[in-house]
Amino acid sequence: MKFYQRFAYYMVGFSIGIFFVAVVLSGKDTRCNYFPNARVLNDIRNKPFIYDTEASRRLSEDWVDTADVKNILTIGDVDFDKSNIPREGGKLYIIYGTTKKKKEVTLEVINYPEKAILKNILKKSN
């Protein structure tokens, strides 16, 4: 069998395989959260999210809103040196991010097994 015939058989099998993989994976909600930062943020986002009274007070101010909090919980950075500390039956996580107005913010989130509570929102002082 010549090279171009073997290559043609290979390409037919390869394309059939790609088709089946695409069909199987397209119907599932698959995510590739291999890094610790992505895993923590995904875990917090997928739980019921509750705002503490201090966080609600900060949200009533003009410099941050709930859209900023959701954005930070999607693309923020978890400080693992200050995080994963047992607190009030859960674990405290410190998450850094920026608002739409380009202000640097720190979120203090307590992650429980069944819920996540935003304890405080801190503005970085310049």
Side-chain angles (χ1 to χ4, degrees):
M1 190 180 297
K2 296 185 179 181
F3 175 74
Y4 71 89
Q5 290 174 326
R6 286 185 297 192
F7 186 72
Y9 279 121
Y10 171 78
M11 289 307 293
V12 167
F14 183 74
S15 42
I16 290 171
I18 290 292
F19 174 75
F20 282 117
V21 167
V23 167
V24 167
L25 293 181
S26 68
K28 299 184 187 269
D29 185 23
T30 55
R31 292 186 179 97
C32 297
N33 293 329
Y34 295 116
F35 296 108
N37 193 61
R39 292 178 66 151
V40 167
L41 293 176
N42 186 43
D43 183 46
I44 291 172
R45 279 193 318 267
N46 288 331
K47 293 180 181 177
F49 197 71
I50 301 167
Y51 296 96
D52 193 55
T53 55
E54 182 65 24
S56 297
R57 189 179 67 75
R58 300 283 182 168
L59 287 171
S60 66
E61 298 172 5
D62 190 34
W63 57 274
V64 68
D65 61 0
T66 56
D68 293 326
V69 172
K70 288 182 182 183
N71 186 37
I72 292 169
L73 290 177
T74 303
I75 60 171
D77 294 319
V78 179
D79 186 355
F80 285 101
D81 290 335
K82 299 177 183 175
S83 296
N84 205 10
I85 300 168
R87 170 112 19 114
E88 302 172 15
K91 293 185 177 181
L92 174 70
Y93 287 96
I94 305 297
I95 304 168
Y96 300 118
T98 56
T99 65
K100 290 180 277 191
K101 298 176 183 176
K102 304 296 182 204
K103 297 200 183 276
E104 294 185 10
V105 207
T106 302
L107 303 180
E108 295 178 357
V109 179
I110 297 183
N111 190 13
Y112 295 98
E114 69 281 350
K115 64 183 175 184
I117 296 179
L118 178 62
K119 292 300 271 185
N120 200 359
I121 305 170
L122 304 171
K123 186 183 346 180
K124 183 178 178 185
S125 59
N126 292 329

